Amino acid sequence: MRANAINGAHLLILLASLALAGYAASFVLGDPLALIMLAWFLGAVIGHDLILFPIYALADRAADRLANLAPVSPLNYVRVPVLGTALTFVLFFPGIIGQGAPTYRAATGQTQEPYLVRWLILVGVLFATSGLCYAIRSYRARR
Amino acid sequence: MRGTMSARTQRWRPSGRGPAWRSPLRGPWLTSVFGAVLLATLPLVIITGLLDYLAYGPRFGQAIPGDVGWLHLPFFDWPTRPSWLFRLTQGLHVVLGLIVIPVVLAKLWSVIPRLFHWPPARSLVQVLERLTLLLLVGGILFEIATGVLNIQYDYLFGFSFYTAHYYGAWVFIGGFLAHVALKLPKMVRALRSRSLRTELRTSRANTEPEPRDPDGLVARGPRRPTMSRRGALGLVFGGSALLGVLSAGQTLGGASRSAAILLPRGRSYGDGPNDFQVNRTASAAAITPAATGSAWRLTLSGGGAPLRFDRTVLQAMPQHTAELPIACVEGWSTTQTWSGVRLRDLAALAGIPEPASAVVSSLERSGFNRVTLQANQVLDPESLLALRVNGAVLSPDHGFPARIIVPALPGVHCTKWVRSIEFRKP
C-alpha cells in the first residue's frame, strides 16, 4: 500500500517534470532552427557521456602507469595541470583559436589576438607550479 | 598476452553489466557532496537568470523570447534602485554559472556507472525517470554550452541565444525539480553516512571505498586509491576557484579585471575617459559621422508638436552627473561617471512631466535600436541622456552624440546614438 503511494508520487513528479519540459519545448516548435537546437541538446549529452567521458577515462587509465614510476607518484602532479589545461580550453576555446572573430570584433572593437598566448602562459604556469610542487615533494621524501 | 586480454575482457564485462568501474572514490557520499553544492548554487543561477528576463521589460514586448506563456517569474516593474541591481543579478548568473561547471562535471563523473546500468529500466516509472535525467543532464550541458559561447560573442550554434537559453532553462528546471524531489532524502542519508570533517583529514593511504550501495555507484572491484577524497574535492573546488578568478574580474572591475585573462571583458582599453568596455561599436552599428555631426538633432515628442534640439542647446540645459554601472547580459560591468540632461527634465520639456513610459530610438537601424522605459526609469533623478563620460565628450563607440544611462537598466537598453524620445501619457 505504502509502496504504491510512493510509486504514485514518483510517477506524478516525473509526469509533471516531463509536462513542464514539453510545454517549454512547444514554444520553439515553430522556430525554423528548432531541429538544430534539439541537435545541440542531444549533442551535449552524447558529447559528454559518450565522447568526453570515455576519452578522459581512458587517458586517465593510460596515465595509471605513472603511479608506480617513482618513489613519489607523479600521477596527480600530471593530472592536475592537464585537467586545468583541458577545462580552460574547453570553456575559452573561442578566444584561443579565434572562433567567432567578426561578432567578437563588432561587440568589443577589439580582436582575439592575445588569448592564445595568455592561455599558453596559463598552461605553462599550471605545469611549472605542479612540477615545482613535485620536485619539493620528491626532495623531502628522499631525505 | 593472452592473459592480459582475458583479464581485460573480464574487467570490462563482469557478468555482462557493462564496464567495470574502478575508482575507489565513487559512492553515494561523494555524489551527495557534489549534489548538495549544486543544490545550493543552481537555484541562484536559475533565479538570477529568470530575473534578467524581467529586467528586459517583457510587458513592453522587449524581452526575448517574446511570448513565454506561463514560463516566467511574476511580472513586476524592474526597479532603478539599487543602481547595481542588474550588475549583481547578471554578474552572479554568469560567474556562478561558470564556477559550478567543474562541480557539474564531477557530479556527472560520479554517477556515470548509472548510465551504463543494465537493464536501463525495469518499469514504466524507471523509463520516465531516465527521460527526466536526459532533460536534467541535457539541460544543464546545453545551458552551459550556449551560455559560455555567448559571453565570448561566439554564435557557433546559429540559433537565437536568448530563445534557446531561456527555453533550455525551463527544460532543465523541469528535470532539476524532479531530480531534487526524488533524490533529496537519498542525498541527506548519504551525507550523514560519513563525516566531512573526517574525510578532510583522511590521507590517500587511509582512503577506503564506501560500503556497497544498491545503485551501484561503489565499484565492485576498486583499485587502490591514487587520490584521497580530500584530494578529489580539492581538485574539483580548485577548478571552480580557478574559474572564479578567471571570470569575477569582468564584473567586479578594478584590479581584479586584469585577472579575467581569457574573457572579453577582462581587457583594458587604455587610460582615457572613454577607454572602457565597448558593447557594439559605432562601425558595427553603421553609425556615420554625417548622422552624428552638426546636422544631428534630438527629437522629443508626446506632448504637443515635436521639439528638436541640437547638441549646443542640450549642453546649455542643467547638467547632472551620476556614477553608474553599465552591466550587460554577458555578466560584465563597468562603473563610470556620466553627465548630461535628466530624462525627467526632458519629459517636462516635452509637456509630459509624469509619463507612463518613454520610447527611445537610436540612429542605429538594426539590433537593440529601440527601448521602452518604465515611468520609474524615466523619473529617477540619476536617469540621464548622457552627453559626457568622465568629463569628456562621449566617443563614437560609447554613443556620441548622446546615450541613455539609467540605474540598474540592462546595458543593451542604455541606448546609444539616441535620435528621439517619445514620452507617453498615463
Side-chain angles (χ1 to χ4, degrees):
Chain A
M1 190 62 192
R2 193 156 167 262
N4 275 344
I6 289 176
N7 258 337
H10 276 203
L11 189 65
L12 215 64
I13 289 168
L14 293 171
L15 290 176
S17 156
L18 291 169
L20 175 57
Y23 178 60
S26 75
F27 285 88
V28 294
L29 283 184
D31 194 302
L33 298 175
L35 277 179
I36 299 184
M37 288 186 205
L38 180 67
W40 271 69
F41 191 93
L42 297 176
V45 180
I46 293 168
H48 175 271
D49 290 355
L50 300 180
I51 299 174
L52 183 65
F53 170 74
I55 287 176
Y56 79 69
L58 289 176
D60 197 58
R61 216 163 262 215
D64 240 12
R65 60 195 63 177
L66 289 174
N68 305 315
L69 205 67
V72 175
S73 161
L75 180 59
N76 290 332
Y77 296 88
V78 173
R79 263 181 181 161
V80 172
V82 165
L83 281 173
T85 301
L87 180 70
T88 50
F89 183 79
V90 166
L91 294 183
F92 303 116
F93 76 88
I96 297 168
I97 64 168
Q99 159 81 35
T103 43
Y104 184 96
R105 191 173 190 117
T108 65
Q110 296 177 321
T111 67
Q112 294 158 305
E113 179 264 327
Y115 294 120
L116 174 61
V117 172
R118 287 177 173 194
W119 179 70
L120 289 174
I121 292 172
L122 176 71
V123 169
V125 169
L126 287 175
F127 276 93
T129 312
S130 190
L132 189 67
C133 292
Y134 181 69
I136 293 170
R137 192 74 189 271
S138 301
Y139 177 73
R140 279 193 184 156
R142 218 170 295 158
R143 284 204 311 170
Chain B
M1 186 67 192
R2 177 165 296 197
T4 331
M5 277 301 287
S6 69
R8 182 168 297 170
T9 322
Q10 205 177 9
R11 205 190 284 155
W12 275 85
R13 295 200 157 273
S15 63
R17 279 167 192 263
W21 306 99
R22 309 190 310 162
S23 171
L25 299 189
R26 275 200 191 95
W29 182 84
L30 190 66
T31 293
S32 299
V33 171
F34 297 137
V37 171
L38 293 175
L39 182 58
T41 48
L42 285 178
L44 210 51
V45 180
I46 293 170
I47 288 170
T48 49
L50 296 177
L51 280 176
D52 294 334
Y53 180 77
L54 294 190
Y56 271 66
R59 275 185 292 181
F60 295 118
Q62 55 191 5
I64 314 166
D67 177 19
V68 296
W70 300 88
L71 300 178
H72 59 80
L73 294 181
F75 286 146
F76 60 87
D77 272 353
W78 189 252
T80 55
R81 301 287 151 186
S83 65
W84 39 261
L85 181 64
F86 188 70
R87 183 184 180 200
L88 176 75
T89 55
Q90 195 56 18
L92 269 179
H93 181 70
V94 171
V95 173
L96 210 51
L98 286 169
I99 286 176
V100 299
I101 291 172
V103 189
V104 169
L105 294 176
K107 174 80 162 60
L108 291 177
W109 169 83
S110 78
V111 296
I112 205 118
R114 300 287 301 153
L115 179 70
F116 297 95
H117 193 74
W118 199 262
R122 288 176 197 276
S123 65
L124 176 68
V125 172
Q126 282 183 1
V127 171
L128 294 179
E129 186 169 350
R130 289 245 152 188
L131 258 177
T132 62
L133 288 176
L134 177 68
L135 303 180
L136 179 78
V137 177
I140 192 133
L141 293 173
F142 182 80
E143 292 301 281
I144 288 174
T146 50
V148 162
L149 288 171
N150 182 62
I151 63 169
Q152 300 176 82
Y153 308 100
D154 182 0
Y155 300 100
L156 190 58
F157 37 77
F159 44 74
S160 158
F161 165 73
Y162 287 96
T163 303
H165 200 67
Y166 195 75
Y167 292 123
W170 282 100
V171 170
F172 169 70
I173 290 169
F176 183 64
L177 290 177
H179 193 62
V180 172
L182 296 183
K183 301 291 187 186
L184 190 64
K186 198 174 261 189
M187 184 190 89
V188 172
R189 265 200 311 277
L191 283 176
R192 285 185 180 149
S193 71
R194 304 176 90 80
S195 143
L196 178 65
R197 192 176 292 180
T198 312
E199 289 305 329
L200 292 181
R201 287 188 193 138
T202 305
S203 68
R204 178 174 61 85
N206 294 326
T207 299
E208 298 284 339
E210 291 183 43
R212 288 266 286 273
D213 65 319
D215 291 326
L217 296 181
V218 179
R220 280 154 196 275
R223 61 175 174 176
R224 276 179 41 206
T226 55
M227 193 181 274
S228 61
R229 283 192 187 81
R230 170 179 66 189
L233 293 176
L235 181 63
V236 173
F237 295 118
S240 291
L242 174 68
L243 293 181
V245 170
L246 289 176
S247 62
Q250 70 160 354
T251 183
L252 295 179
S256 69
R257 189 178 299 278
S258 55
I261 52 170
L262 298 176
L263 277 174
R265 304 316 185 166
R267 305 274 292 277
S268 161
Y269 281 73
D271 300 321
N274 271 288
D275 291 340
F276 56 94
Q277 285 64 36
V278 172
N279 194 38
R280 193 157 172 85
T281 59
S283 112
I287 302 297
T288 61
T292 57
S294 57
W296 177 82
R297 298 287 182 277
L298 171 74
T299 305
L300 297 185
S301 60
L307 305 170
R308 289 199 163 73
F309 301 116
D310 65 14
R311 242 190 94 82
T312 321
V313 175
L314 286 170
Q315 273 176 315
M317 294 177 184
Q319 303 288 301
H320 293 269
T321 298
E323 195 182 326
L324 291 174
I326 190 153
C328 274
V329 72
E330 296 89 11
W332 62 275
S333 61
T334 176
T335 302
Q336 306 295 335
T337 307
W338 313 87
S339 48
V341 186
R342 277 179 174 158
L343 292 181
R344 68 183 192 191
D345 293 351
L346 294 174
L349 269 177
I352 307 182
E354 298 280 338
S357 62
V359 180
V360 179
S361 300
S362 169
L363 291 168
E364 191 184 355
R365 287 175 190 271
S366 57
F368 288 96
N369 59 353
R370 219 171 100 96
V371 66
T372 305
L373 301 176
Q374 302 155 181
N376 64 327
Q377 291 167 334
V378 177
L379 297 174
D380 190 286
E382 289 197 318
S383 294
L384 303 176
L385 178 74
L387 305 173
R388 306 175 78 86
V389 64
N390 303 316
V393 171
L394 290 171
S395 70
D397 283 345
H398 285 305
F400 178 83
R403 77 171 300 165
I404 297 293
I405 182 84
V406 168
L409 185 69
V412 284
H413 283 175
C414 293
T415 308
K416 299 198 277 192
W417 315 292
V418 174
R419 183 183 52 171
S420 65
I421 307 175
E422 181 199 344
F423 296 99
R424 294 190 167 163
K425 290 178 187 151

